[in-house]
Amino acid sequence: MSRPLSDQERRKQISIRGIVGDRNVATPRDYYFALAHTVRDHLVGRWIRTQQYYYEKDPKRIYYLSLEFYMGRTLQNTMINLGLQNACDEAIYQLGLDMEELEEIEEDAGLGNGGLGRLAACFLDSMATLGLAAYGYGIRYEYGIFNQKIRDGWQVEEADDWLRHGNPWEKARPEYMLPVHFYGRVEHAATGAKWVDTQVVLALPYDTPVPGYLNNTVNTMRLWSARAPNDFNLRDFNVGDYIQAVLDRNLAENISRVLYPNDNFFEGKELRLKQEYFVVAATLQDIIRRFKASKFGSTDSVGIVFDSFPDQVAIQLNDTHPAMAIPELMRIFVDIEKLPWNKAWDITKRTFAYTNHTVLPEALERWPVDLVEKLLPRHLQIIYEINQRHLDHIAFLFPNDVDRLQRMSLIEEGGTKRINMAHLCIVGSHAVNGVAKIHSEIVKTQVFEDFAALEPEKFQNKTNGITPRRWLLLCNPGLAELIAEKIGEDYVRDLSQLTKLHGCVDDDLFIREVAKVKQENKVKFALYLEKEYKVKINPSSMFDVHVKRIHEYKRQLMNCLHIITMYNRIRKDPAKLFVPRTVIIGGKAAPGYHMAKMIIKLINAVAQVVNNDPIVGSKLKVIFLENYRVSLAEKVIPATDLSEQISTAGTEASGTGNMKFMLNGALTIGTMDGANVEMAEEAGEENLFIFGMRVEDVTELDREGYNAQKYYDQLPELKEAVDQIKSGFFSPEEPELFSDVVNMLFHHDRFKVFADYEAYVRCQEKVSELYLNSKAWTKMVIRNIAAAGKFSSDRTIKEYARDIWHVEPSNLKIPPPNEPRDTH
């Protein structure tokens, strides 16, 4: 029986003409699915034709392997990339429906935690737009990143049952189902090693189309779902308990049940290692099947010749999560295809490339040897062999340097033996890249300096980017149209053309129009906030926004201290001119990350006090944005005036939110960290609000020892704010509530909040001062937008294509399905 309609849905329901009776009444969800299926039908012909074209032309394939693809919603993005948006808008309007309301019905595909997963999604969009024969491979998690509820100021997690109503954008492909093996043991015979007595789990692929922008290319994202084989637990000695055997199928199928909700943190759980190997084993079988079917997978008298494999296949590892692909490909080549080790290793290295996403030590994957031995015994042997040959080479180059051997080994001794997956990736890849200039330097000179000294040519930088389709056209049509009126529409495919806007910085009409679009976006978002949070928002206040995962290194606490400082200043002198602000902080904390959850509670406790103080009134409002996700980013980013990018220098690998804000007409307050450095380089440092320690200053402070007490003693406003938190001013019923936070700030703050507090507050005063001069502010906004072109993921992907994958982007427009194909 279907669930009863809510009053809201009943009000919105529309009878299908000519049909009466309750059973024939369509809900908004029915209309969403009808529209989604209609749009999908326009994709399918192009999708089939693209794949057919790849089969015939047999270009080099790019495989992007990631445990996360943070896709968000698909409907509007598909309409834009297919050039159908106006036609669909018109049709929906004719039916008396509201397009925006239908778009809101779609669930986000939340198969990622944050930056790493969203980057993968932007890259898929760019690879399709650049006409690359690319495939995203990952896991079809039944439950994505949890939904965050705030109850009494605390984060509460709810399961994200995103497939509840079905997913119109995916197609199951049972004909390509593949077996994946776990556990078992290794037998050594004259013919080589054999992995036997394994447990089998089936990998069922689901394909999602990935359309390029107006070029008729439609690539594929293939996500694997775990299925138990039909004889699971029944072929054993399991005589009687048939029911239990069928129930136990869940154990196998749990592999693709849920996304691990950690960002920048390694949790060494067996299920997570199973997920990592599951995606890798299924994907490599698929890649090799496709290679063998191509004209390059030629055969000689012995069998398939794999010499051309690296010329036909490039595999990009998105962080170390899919690192088991390296020993797995070696296992296939050596054990199954019977290649000699050296040849197999040469092909493997030329195939793989590795992207590093973090320098935080707690985020680096280090799997216990015992766990790998139990789950993947043959892979452990192969990793040992890779390590032996690697260390023999180091010993030959650096005789008697035992320290170096220990530092560079893939195996970490001491306590429990662990496999350093980053070392495995570096040794097994022909290219290693960081994701912003400063990050790639840190990777080369600090984190992996021994490896970079050995093979400097292997280490590269590829600064991250964002897709301008979703992050401008889709989320900010007003600004996109305004830009198109000035410089034409070509910038959408070539964002470097935004530099032409430098000629409009003094155009008074353009300045007014840019400010007007921002104001409209703010009014719209203010209405959303008032509806969701029942707080009256002043749309002319400065929208000061800090949205990203909650983590100590991102320093939401420093923002919180600034809020308290502003609050105290208003209370001390209510008559003094104060530039009104709405401070919006949002983001999820990993469920097991105690400090991050305390930070959320603190922000909400401060908001409670500030928002209900009559002396403050509308001068300062604080909102914690619940359940921050891709679809909410699309709402808040276009409405933002000030973007907070305030990580401790040397900790944020790149950041991509920073780029989205810049493209959407916000100004940035930030440290010289990640891509902020390059944003300042592109726009001119004077057009960003840069403050605080540089990497060298942080290093120096570490050398002399960071003493938080010193700053507390010297800065009265900091002391006042910290004392208020400590005394229970923001938690009167529970004065000790935030003692863990205060204790951390004084005694083990790795990210040195107090050291940058003074510079941050001073910099915020400069922000307020400029905001008073609307014209000067908007001119700075225009200079930022004009300098944002570098941060398109199209540019990033062109660099990967040229420097790592050795393929050429193609401008060729595959003919649409309604035109006959070229038969030559």
Side-chain angles (χ1 to χ4, degrees):
M1 208 178 98
S2 61
R3 64 177 181 80
L5 294 176
S6 70
D7 289 344
Q8 196 182 14
E9 281 175 318
R10 195 173 299 283
R11 276 198 304 278
K12 288 175 187 166
Q13 67 193 13
I14 295 165
S15 298
I16 295 169
R17 277 188 223 104
I19 300 175
V20 236
D22 230 18
R23 286 173 52 81
N24 300 311
V25 168
T27 64
R29 173 163 283 109
D30 296 324
Y31 284 105
Y32 161 72
F33 274 97
L35 176 58
H37 286 121
T38 306
V39 172
R40 187 185 67 182
D41 291 343
H42 283 261
L43 266 175
V44 170
R46 291 170 170 90
W47 196 8
I48 290 167
R49 188 165 281 199
T50 301
Q51 299 310 313
Q52 204 171 344
Y53 177 83
Y54 292 158
Y55 182 79
E56 287 163 10
K57 290 283 188 286
D58 211 14
K60 183 171 184 177
R61 276 19 179 243
I62 311 304
Y63 296 103
Y64 198 82
L65 263 64
S66 183
L67 269 282
E68 303 185 18
F69 287 93
Y70 204 170
M71 303 295 285
R73 292 173 178 157
T74 298
L75 174 61
Q76 197 185 352
N77 186 246
T78 305
M79 293 190 298
I80 287 171
N81 280 12
L82 258 43
L84 293 173
Q85 199 172 23
N86 292 344
C88 290
D89 280 344
E90 179 61 26
I92 292 300
Y93 175 76
Q94 291 293 331
L95 286 169
L97 297 164
D98 177 358
M99 177 63 93
E100 216 167 298
E101 186 191 309
L102 295 189
E103 286 166 351
E104 284 297 313
I105 290 166
E106 183 177 356
E107 299 269 1
D108 280 47
L111 308 185
N113 277 285
L116 174 146
R118 182 55 233 175
L119 185 80
C122 284
F123 279 5
L124 293 184
D125 182 89
S126 286
M127 290 187 292
T129 296
L130 293 170
L132 297 177
Y135 304 75
Y137 273 94
I139 296 177
R140 180 182 178 267
Y141 300 107
E142 201 175 316
Y143 295 91
I145 186 64
F146 61 86
N147 283 315
Q148 177 195 58
K149 289 280 192 292
I150 301 297
R151 297 214 210 288
D152 190 29
W154 297 97
Q155 167 176 298
V156 176
E157 301 86 22
E158 286 182 357
D160 168 41
D161 191 7
W162 72 290
L163 294 167
R164 181 173 54 241
H165 299 287
N167 173 7
W169 305 107
E170 68 182 6
K171 176 82 183 78
R173 308 297 304 273
E175 67 273 28
Y176 292 115
M177 188 140 56
L178 291 166
V180 175
H181 298 262
F182 294 102
Y183 303 108
R185 57 191 175 81
V186 183
E187 279 180 355
H188 288 277
T191 52
K194 277 182 81 172
W195 184 18
V196 298
D197 295 340
T198 56
Q199 291 180 25
V200 176
V201 176
L202 299 176
L204 170 64
Y206 284 78
D207 287 357
T208 299
V210 178
Y213 181 67
L214 302 184
N215 67 349
N216 295 326
T217 295
V218 182
N219 286 343
T220 302
M221 175 177 67
R222 176 162 285 181
L223 302 181
W224 302 100
S225 183
R227 291 287 181 273
N230 285 330
D231 61 359
F232 186 80
N233 264 14
L234 288 166
R235 47 186 161 48
D236 305 333
F237 311 102
N238 192 330
V239 190
D241 209 342
Y242 161 75
I243 296 291
Q244 194 53 47
V246 173
L247 298 184
D248 284 348
R249 295 169 61 84
N250 280 314
L251 298 170
E253 296 175 355
N254 278 338
I255 290 174
S256 56
R257 194 79 66 202
V258 60
L259 168 74
Y260 272 82
N262 302 315
D263 187 74
N264 275 297
F265 183 78
F266 170 59
E267 187 174 359
K269 294 282 199 290
E270 180 171 3
L271 181 62
R272 171 66 174 194
L273 182 56
K274 278 185 176 168
Q275 289 181 339
E276 292 183 355
Y277 179 66
F278 174 75
V279 65
V280 149
T283 299
L284 283 175
Q285 289 180 76
D286 218 32
I287 290 173
I288 285 166
R289 175 192 57 73
R290 201 175 282 119
F291 171 77
K292 286 180 173 179
S294 80
K295 47 177 173 272
F296 279 86
S298 56
T299 52
D300 61 11
S301 53
V302 187
I304 291 278
V305 178
F306 283 97
D307 299 60
S308 65
F309 193 77
D311 304 318
Q312 280 305 101
V313 173
I315 304 176
Q316 192 69 37
L317 303 173
N318 195 24
D319 215 317
T320 59
H321 311 148
M324 291 305 295
I326 293 169
E328 173 66 6
L329 188 59
M330 284 299 287
R331 185 185 72 82
I332 293 167
F333 283 157
V334 173
D335 293 359
I336 297 168
E337 303 291 345
K338 304 298 180 191
L339 266 57
W341 180 280
N342 287 340
K343 183 170 198 174
W345 184 241
D346 175 64
I347 295 171
T348 296
K349 272 182 77 157
R350 287 166 52 211
T351 299
F352 285 112
Y354 156 58
T355 301
N356 173 274
H357 281 273
T358 182
V359 297
L360 295 183
E362 63 267 35
L364 296 177
E365 291 198 295
R366 294 152 62 249
W367 286 106
V369 163
D370 294 344
L371 177 57
V372 178
E373 184 169 36
K374 177 174 78 152
L375 196 69
L376 303 167
R378 179 58 182 144
H379 296 77
L380 182 64
Q381 293 178 350
I382 290 167
I383 289 166
Y384 275 150
E385 181 69 21
I386 292 168
N387 195 38
Q388 190 56 58
R389 289 166 184 250
H390 161 62
L391 291 180
D392 287 347
H393 178 57
I394 306 299
F396 171 74
L397 293 174
F398 303 93
N400 309 317
D401 193 343
V402 186
D403 268 3
R404 184 183 298 264
L405 290 176
Q406 203 163 36
R407 291 196 307 269
M408 296 185 75
S409 176
L410 308 192
I411 311 293
E412 296 178 359
E413 310 283 348
T416 55
K417 281 172 69 168
R418 294 174 174 271
I419 305 167
N420 184 314
M421 301 307 275
H423 290 184
L424 174 60
C425 286
I426 294 167
V427 170
S429 299
H430 70 276
V432 175
N433 72 280
V435 290
K437 278 182 194 167
I438 184 176
H439 167 61
S440 297
E441 274 309 302
I442 291 169
V443 162
K444 256 198 305 219
T445 59
Q446 296 171 38
V447 194
F448 303 128
E449 57 175 328
D450 292 316
F451 293 91
L454 197 65
E455 306 179 274
E457 68 293 338
K458 186 181 275 194
F459 289 78
Q460 306 186 16
N461 174 57
K462 295 286 168 279
T463 299
N464 284 163
I466 58 172
T467 172
R469 272 73 64 183
R470 183 175 296 268
W471 298 113
L472 184 58
L473 266 69
L474 182 155
C475 70
N476 203 343
L479 182 59
E481 208 168 315
L482 189 54
I483 294 169
E485 283 167 20
K486 275 290 171 198
I487 67 171
E489 291 179 7
D490 285 358
Y491 76 92
V492 179
R493 315 188 57 140
D494 174 16
L495 208 62
S496 67
Q497 292 188 28
L498 288 178
T499 53
K500 294 175 186 170
L501 291 175
H502 279 300
C504 307
V505 170
D506 295 311
D507 176 337
D508 281 349
L509 178 61
F510 186 66
I511 293 169
R512 282 200 299 276
E513 287 182 314
V514 169
K516 178 165 165 275
V517 167
K518 178 62 73 178
Q519 198 51 41
E520 286 165 359
N521 292 340
K522 287 174 69 176
V523 167
K524 185 174 180 184
F525 191 63
L527 288 171
Y528 171 85
L529 289 180
E530 286 170 21
K531 182 166 72 76
E532 297 291 315
Y533 296 95
K534 318 290 179 239
V535 179
K536 189 84 185 85
I537 303 294
N538 171 8
S540 63
S541 65
M542 184 200 305
F543 283 18
D544 171 351
V545 178
H546 197 179
V547 287
K548 52 188 72 241
R549 283 296 288 255
I550 310 293
H551 200 298
E552 288 160 86
Y553 87 83
K554 295 176 186 282
R555 299 202 292 193
Q556 284 91 356
L557 271 174
M558 193 162 70
N559 191 344
C560 197
L561 288 172
H562 176 243
I563 292 167
I564 297 170
T565 303
M566 286 191 292
Y567 172 72
N568 289 333
R569 286 180 179 184
I570 293 166
R571 297 244 316 182
K572 278 197 185 66
D573 192 352
K576 190 178 176 203
L577 172 79
F578 182 85
V579 180
R581 288 198 191 210
T582 301
V583 184
I584 299 168
I585 305 180
K588 292 174 185 177
Y593 189 174
H594 169 72
M595 190 55 66
K597 288 185 146 182
M598 289 309 301
I599 291 167
I600 290 173
K601 175 62 176 173
L602 176 60
I603 293 162
N604 280 304
V606 171
Q608 188 66 239
V609 170
V610 172
N611 296 347
N612 294 297
D613 190 325
I615 298 172
V616 174
S618 63
K619 291 199 185 88
L620 183 60
K621 288 282 180 252
V622 181
I623 295 201
F624 187 88
L625 207 51
E626 187 175 274
N627 202 32
Y628 181 63
R629 59 200 186 281
V630 174
S631 59
L632 190 47
E634 291 163 7
K635 293 180 175 70
V636 66
I637 291 171
T640 298
D641 292 307
L642 184 68
S643 158
E644 300 266 356
Q645 308 296 336
I646 59 178
S647 54
T648 312
T651 63
E652 188 74 88
S654 166
T656 46
N658 47 5
M659 304 168 187
K660 293 161 195 169
F661 285 109
M662 184 188 199
L663 185 59
N664 281 277
L667 298 184
T668 302
I669 184 167
T671 51
M672 278 296 201
D673 198 19
N676 297 357
V677 177
E678 289 160 79
M679 286 163 53
E681 200 175 296
E682 294 295 300
E685 202 176 319
E686 69 282 5
N687 292 304
L688 280 78
F689 295 98
I690 298 291
F691 72 93
M693 297 180 290
R694 311 301 202 248
V695 168
E696 308 75 48
D697 303 316
V698 176
T699 308
E700 177 56 30
L701 189 51
D702 276 326
R703 218 181 41 75
E704 66 187 48
Y706 168 62
N707 175 12
Q709 186 72 39
K710 182 184 84 177
Y711 301 93
Y712 172 85
D713 291 338
Q714 286 171 10
L715 304 167
E717 288 188 304
L718 173 62
K719 181 180 192 301
E720 182 180 16
V722 173
D723 286 349
Q724 284 169 305
I725 297 170
K726 198 166 32 175
S727 69
F729 181 87
F730 298 106
S731 54
E733 352 55 66
E734 218 179 321
E736 301 285 279
L737 185 58
F738 299 115
S739 58
D740 284 359
V741 177
V742 173
N743 182 53
M744 178 274 289
L745 285 170
F746 278 105
H747 303 297
H748 32 93
D749 178 9
R750 297 160 57 205
F751 305 106
K752 307 174 177 63
V753 170
F754 289 2
D756 271 342
Y757 165 86
E758 188 181 16
Y760 179 53
V761 172
R762 269 212 305 271
C763 193
Q764 287 281 19
E765 289 164 8
K766 284 171 58 189
V767 174
S768 288
E769 194 184 327
L770 186 67
Y771 192 75
L772 284 172
N773 182 343
S774 169
K775 186 172 179 182
W777 178 280
T778 307
K779 287 173 82 156
M780 196 180 279
V781 163
I782 294 165
R783 287 186 205 106
N784 270 266
I785 297 170
K790 173 180 179 177
F791 304 106
S792 169
S793 47
D794 298 346
R795 186 268 318 152
T796 311
I797 290 298
K798 282 177 187 160
E799 292 181 9
Y800 277 93
R802 182 190 67 216
D803 304 336
I804 297 177
W805 305 330
H806 307 300
V807 290
E808 269 304 308
S810 139
N811 280 324
L812 183 95
K813 199 167 169 183
I814 297 168
N818 53 351
E819 282 176 29
R821 285 174 63 235
D822 183 7
T823 47
H824 310 308

